[in-house]
Amino acid sequence: MSQPSVIINLTLGLLWFIVHLAINIFSLWSRLIYNIESYLISIGLFPKYRKFQLERLKYLAIVVDSREAKNVAKIEQLLCWLSTIGVKYVCLYDIDGVLNKTFEPTMNGSRDVDSGNSHDVGANIKALICCRSEMTVEYISGSDGKEGIAKAANLLCSTYFNGDRDARGNDEIVFTEADMSGALKAIGCGGPEPDLLLVYGPARCHLGFPAWRLRYTEIMHMGPLNSMKYGAIVKAFYNFSKKYQNFGK
């Protein structure tokens, strides 16, 4: 290898090392700031985080990566934190249904029929007594997503073809949003739209959470479940309380 080629390779290697080192330092610094801020918020050092309004947070959704959803202790701790903060209605989701299989047999209480009717939910709902507060928890999985919309579409088509098509005046198939919402409710995949969705996992996406329930939902990525912080949750709720929403006006 010629001397110029050696110099070029060494220069490129040095540049790669410097860039890699800078990224690692920035990542460590960001993580340190995140941990310090979360700790200071959790001990109540910042007055603005001590009291914030939860009136706009009627319904909270939590998306967890299925691999991390197997950590029962972390999920229970998360639910207790939410209950302590004052959240009354939570939807837990993972695409493989790990949360439903893990928590459904051990949850206290029975199916809350009144809560299910008032929130128009057809999924599994349990009343959770945690940290001296009552909190209603709904479990959904990937089967409530793509499979749910396919079942709803099949129900609409079968209803249309088995019914009186002349009642519409023609043979053209026209389905409205209300028709789809009714079909989703009929098959048990309907439900309220969360005001806020917190994502715990490596990906910055909703991981297959039913899209028709996210039309006006604020989505926040919280990082891995193993590194969740109480202060980070409080900050997320505070930031949500300051968001301006102009829909429905």
Side-chain angles (χ1 to χ4, degrees):
M1 184 178 295
S2 61
Q3 185 175 1
S5 299
V6 173
I7 296 176
I8 292 175
N9 289 335
L10 289 176
T11 303
L12 292 176
L14 180 61
L15 289 175
W16 180 90
F17 175 78
I18 293 175
V19 171
H20 187 70
L21 180 62
I23 293 175
N24 285 337
I25 293 175
F26 177 78
S27 178
L28 290 174
W29 177 257
S30 299
R31 191 177 306 173
L32 178 62
I33 295 299
Y34 170 80
N35 291 333
I36 294 176
E37 183 184 32
S38 298
Y39 174 74
L40 295 178
I41 292 175
S42 64
I43 64 176
L45 185 62
F46 299 122
K48 67 178 182 179
Y49 293 118
R50 294 175 188 172
K51 292 183 180 180
F52 52 89
Q53 302 298 322
L54 278 178
E55 285 79 6
R56 291 171 55 189
L57 188 59
K58 308 268 182 209
Y59 188 80
L60 173 69
I62 304 288
V63 171
V64 182
D65 183 79
S66 293
R67 291 167 294 183
E68 297 185 336
K70 299 176 183 178
N71 193 335
V72 178
K74 285 291 185 180
I75 298 296
E76 290 179 342
Q77 185 180 38
L78 176 60
L79 290 175
C80 283
W81 282 350
L82 295 176
S83 180
T84 300
I85 293 173
V87 178
K88 298 300 182 183
Y89 204 99
V90 178
C91 174
L92 286 178
Y93 168 89
D94 74 284
I95 194 169
D96 294 331
V98 175
L99 294 171
N100 197 0
K101 296 175 184 177
T102 302
F103 286 91
E104 194 235 346
T106 59
M107 292 294 290
N108 295 324
S110 59
R111 184 180 177 88
D112 191 341
V113 178
D114 294 335
S115 296
N117 291 336
S118 63
H119 288 88
D120 190 23
V121 176
N124 184 34
I125 299 176
K126 295 289 180 178
L128 173 67
I129 307 300
C130 179
C131 300
R132 304 178 301 278
S133 298
E134 182 175 329
M135 184 168 63
T136 303
V137 182
E138 175 194 0
Y139 295 97
I140 62 176
S141 62
S143 60
D144 299 288
K146 293 182 179 179
E147 294 181 21
I149 202 70
K151 291 178 181 178
N154 185 53
L155 176 62
L156 285 175
C157 290
S158 62
T159 301
Y160 174 81
F161 285 110
N162 292 332
D164 185 7
R165 286 178 289 177
D166 293 334
R168 295 177 181 265
N170 53 49
D171 291 334
E172 182 182 358
I173 302 178
V174 179
F175 295 133
T176 64
E177 184 176 347
D179 293 331
M180 181 58 73
S181 298
L184 288 168
K185 179 182 177 181
I187 64 172
C189 292
E193 297 178 18
D195 303 296
L196 175 64
L197 184 142
L198 303 181
V199 179
Y200 285 96
R204 292 180 174 270
C205 66
H206 57 71
L207 300 175
F209 191 93
W212 56 88
R213 297 177 63 172
L214 295 176
R215 290 178 297 179
Y216 303 109
T217 301
E218 185 77 20
I219 302 177
M220 297 184 183
H221 184 255
M222 304 296 289
L225 183 68
N226 290 331
S227 61
M228 69 176 186
K229 298 289 188 295
Y230 178 81
I233 298 175
V234 172
K235 182 179 179 181
F237 289 164
Y238 173 81
N239 291 337
F240 172 76
S241 68
K242 297 300 181 181
K243 297 288 184 179
Y244 175 77
Q245 297 174 338
N246 58 4
F247 63 87
K249 294 184 179 180

